[in-house]
């Protein structure tokens, strides 16, 4: 009976798609963020490959980016709060950001059928990472 309930909870959750990026600490920071996401969402969270990209509209070192996807029953505001805590845990701070040092940035691209950060969906590297994750950036519902 527990297995059936567990399966229903997993399949009824809302789709969550996250964009991760860092320009400080590289692979180590990405692994740290991935471990923290797995602690929160369990082993159902899936990660794309990591991709090195040039910064957009800022002077700083290259970024390492990836996309994570999972399903969750968590409310959006709780997810936002936990992601901010995770960014801080990875060393992110307002002071560093003013210096264009991004220890970890985690953006919610999709929650359920709602898209966020609409400009990011059009960026070639995001499209590539979404495609690797089996998410079609052109046909996903947009509300």
């Amino acid at each position: 009976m527990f297995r059936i309930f567990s399966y229903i909870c997993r399949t009824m959750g809302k789709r969550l798609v996250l964009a991760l990026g860092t320009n400080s600490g590289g692979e180590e920071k990405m692994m740290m963020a991935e471990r923290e996401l797995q602690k929160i969402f369990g082993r159902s969270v899936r990660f794309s490959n990591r991709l090195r990209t040039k910064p957009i509209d800022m002077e700083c070192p290259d970024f390492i980016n990836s996309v994570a996807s999972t399903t969750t029953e968590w409310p959006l505001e709780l997810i936002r709060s936990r992601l901010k805590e995770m960014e801080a845990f990875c060393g992110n701070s307002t002071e560093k950001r003013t210096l264009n040092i991004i220890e970890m940035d985690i953006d919610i691209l999709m929650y359920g059928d709602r898209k966020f950060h609409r400009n990011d969906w059009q960026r070639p590297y995001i499209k590539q990472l979404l495609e690797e994750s089996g998410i079609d950036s052109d046909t996903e519902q947009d509300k």
Side-chain angles (χ1 to χ4, degrees), residues 17 34 65-66 102 106 111 130 137 141:
V17 180
E34 289 173 1
N65 297 281
S66 72
I102 312 300
I106 307 173
Y111 176 77
L130 289 169
S137 63
Q141 204 167 10

Side-chain angles (χ1 to χ4, degrees), residues 55-125:
I56 298 172
D57 298 329
M58 60 191 305
E59 292 290 324
C60 64
D62 289 353
F63 278 82
I64 296 177
N65 297 281
S66 72
V67 167
S69 62
T70 191
T71 57
T72 183
E73 291 292 326
W74 285 30
L76 182 58
E77 288 311 311
L78 180 57
I79 293 168
R80 282 186 173 137
S81 173
R82 292 299 306 266
L83 294 178
K84 289 298 167 199
E85 290 172 7
M86 189 180 305
E87 288 174 345
F89 175 77
C90 289
N92 218 37
S93 70
T94 304
E95 297 80 25
K96 288 181 181 179
R97 280 185 176 251
T98 61
L99 300 171
N100 291 336
I101 300 169
I102 312 300
E103 297 285 351
M104 180 53 59
D105 185 38
I106 307 173
D107 292 328
I108 299 171
L109 294 180
M110 179 181 281
Y111 176 77
D113 61 359
R114 292 177 56 195
K115 280 185 174 181
F116 301 91
H117 299 277
R118 293 176 193 275
N119 291 339
D120 289 355
W121 286 84
Q122 301 309 311
R123 294 182 180 186
Y125 73 92

Side-chain angles (χ1 to χ4, degrees), residues 126-139:
I126 291 288
K127 285 185 169 202
Q128 178 181 339
L129 295 172
L130 289 169
E131 184 177 315
E132 287 177 13
S133 300
I135 301 165
D136 185 348
S137 63
D138 294 325
T139 61

Side-chain angles (χ1 to χ4, degrees), residues 1-11:
M1 184 65 157
F2 176 75
R3 279 189 193 170
I4 293 170
F5 177 74
S6 177
Y7 173 77
I8 290 170
C9 286
R10 283 195 315 272
T11 58

